[in-house]
Amino acid sequence: ATTGVLTLTGTTTLANYQTALESITYGFSNGDPTNAGADMTRNVSMTVTDGTQSSTALVSTINMSTSVVERSAASIGSNLDGLETQVHGGTVSSILLPSSGQTVTVAFGQLTSDIDALNAITTPYTLEVTGVSIANAASTLAFTTPHGSVSKIDISDTAADVQAALDTLQGDGSQIGSISLTDGGTPNLAINVGQLSSDLATLNKIASTHTLTVNGVATASLGSTLAFTDAHGSVSVANIADTAAHVSAALDAIQADGSKIGSITLTDGGTPNVTASYGQISTDLGALNKIATTHTLTVTGVTTANLATALAFTDAHGTVAMANISDTAANLAVALDTLQSDGAKIGTITLTDGG
């Protein structure tokens, strides 16, 4: 009876009426009959009338002690703690979803604290797990219940832990949802230049505003590296790794990008030699001081008047090994004895007079 009232009429024996009343059952086919544990009983009231007078109502209480509940995936996710209490307490025996394949979103801790409720879901389903640390990512992705498995995890961890796991996260691809950095402020991730392309999909999943320090940058790709952005981040520092020849050729550009250049590592081996013009030992001093590799310098375009200054020049990790002179014949004639005494450090001498 959709109204909640069942009426039996007609003339028959008392025994037949007793049998009919005893056959009445209560059923619930849609949603949660316990209203999340708030409505655990049903009262059935029975009265008999002869058309003129009615008997006193006889009330029978039905105890909803163990029930099958049907919930949406969103409802299960938001009420999982309450369902755990009901399942653990025996008031809910199983949980149904409207259809199979739906995704229930839960926090990482609930995989343990609400395991009884998750195990009670009998409709095949998938899980999206939030608040997963890098250390717990693999075990979370492998987590299963009798009818469910993890389809996606949302990472919450420090920038340091995320940067260390970038390649692994990239390999897990579609199973990684969003990535939240827990450091506070604007965290910085230090990565290798190759990861800007190989791990781009993962970098784009970082939902926190962040900056990037990129290591191993060649001078040829410095401009594109500094211009790189992902969904919520940009490059704040580039650490260069290249040959002395390439660094020498790019000194002016490196100096211009000053505040975004971290360190410069020369990849030649031994004690590489960097070539700079005399003017650059002052205009590009900031770039020269960022060369972290022990090196020597060849200074070109040195006049006889500037020779002593050029030969005495040092940067953070380098000294002048050679000066190439460019000056007039007259100036050279005056400075011949000095040039002779500095012999080992004089490279070439170019006369600028013409003719």
Side-chain angles (χ1 to χ4, degrees):
T2 57
T3 61
V5 177
L6 174 63
T7 302
L8 302 177
T9 61
T11 303
T12 188
T13 65
L14 175 62
N16 286 341
Y17 268 105
Q18 286 176 327
T19 300
L21 292 172
E22 289 171 354
S23 69
I24 296 172
T25 59
Y26 174 78
F28 195 97
S29 60
N30 184 30
D32 180 0
T34 69
N35 189 25
D39 189 6
M40 298 302 299
T41 60
R42 297 292 187 273
N43 292 326
V44 179
S45 177
M46 292 175 281
T47 60
V48 177
T49 180
D50 59 6
T52 303
Q53 292 182 318
S54 298
S55 69
T56 301
L58 175 64
V59 179
S60 176
T61 298
I62 300 173
N63 182 16
M64 308 294 290
S65 59
T66 304
S67 63
V68 176
V69 299
E70 181 178 311
R71 295 281 188 87
S72 68
S75 177
I76 291 173
S78 61
N79 295 291
L80 194 61
D81 293 347
L83 289 169
E84 173 69 17
T85 299
Q86 293 175 63
V87 173
H88 191 70
T91 57
V92 170
S93 59
S94 61
I95 303 168
L96 304 178
L97 286 158
S99 61
S100 63
Q102 296 190 33
T103 299
V104 177
T105 301
V106 302
F108 172 74
Q110 291 177 303
L111 297 182
T112 303
S113 65
D114 294 342
I115 187 61
D116 291 333
L118 293 171
N119 285 337
I121 302 174
T122 57
T123 308
Y125 68 101
T126 60
L127 283 165
E128 179 172 353
V129 185
T130 64
V132 180
S133 68
I134 294 299
N136 294 321
S139 61
T140 302
L141 288 172
F143 177 86
T144 60
T145 67
H147 296 93
S149 59
V150 174
S151 61
K152 186 176 291 185
I153 61 174
D154 297 322
I155 302 291
S156 292
D157 212 326
T158 64
D161 287 342
V162 170
Q163 74 186 29
L166 268 182
D167 293 346
T168 300
L169 294 173
Q170 181 71 23
D172 290 328
S174 62
Q175 290 185 293
I176 305 300
S178 64
I179 301 172
S180 297
L181 304 178
T182 59
D183 308 74
T186 304
N188 179 269
L189 287 82
I191 64 174
N192 295 321
V193 65
Q195 292 177 300
L196 294 181
S197 54
S198 65
D199 294 344
L200 178 58
T202 300
L203 289 170
N204 280 330
K205 291 177 181 180
I206 301 175
S208 309
T209 300
H210 59 280
T211 58
L212 295 167
T213 293
V214 185
N215 300 316
V217 181
T219 55
S221 61
L222 180 59
S224 60
T225 300
L226 291 175
F228 173 87
T229 60
D230 58 38
H232 295 94
S234 58
V235 175
S236 60
V237 175
N239 291 322
I240 295 173
D242 210 334
T243 63
H246 288 161
V247 170
S248 300
L251 272 178
D252 290 347
I254 294 170
Q255 179 69 27
D257 291 322
S259 62
K260 288 191 173 184
I261 305 301
S263 63
I264 302 171
T265 300
L266 304 178
T267 59
D268 307 74
T271 304
N273 181 267
V274 175
T275 299
S277 70
Y278 179 76
Q280 287 177 309
I281 64 175
S282 56
T283 61
D284 294 346
L285 179 59
L288 290 168
N289 279 332
K290 291 181 179 181
I291 301 175
T293 309
T294 300
H295 60 282
T296 58
L297 289 162
T298 293
V299 184
T300 63
V302 181
T303 65
T304 54
N306 294 325
L307 178 59
T309 302
L311 292 176
F313 173 83
T314 60
D315 60 35
H317 295 92
T319 57
V320 173
M322 186 173 294
N324 293 330
I325 306 294
S326 292
D327 210 337
T328 64
N331 287 340
L332 288 170
V334 172
L336 273 178
D337 291 345
T338 301
L339 294 174
Q340 180 66 28
S341 64
D342 290 325
K345 289 190 174 183
I346 304 300
T348 61
I349 300 173
T350 301
L351 302 178
T352 59
D353 307 77

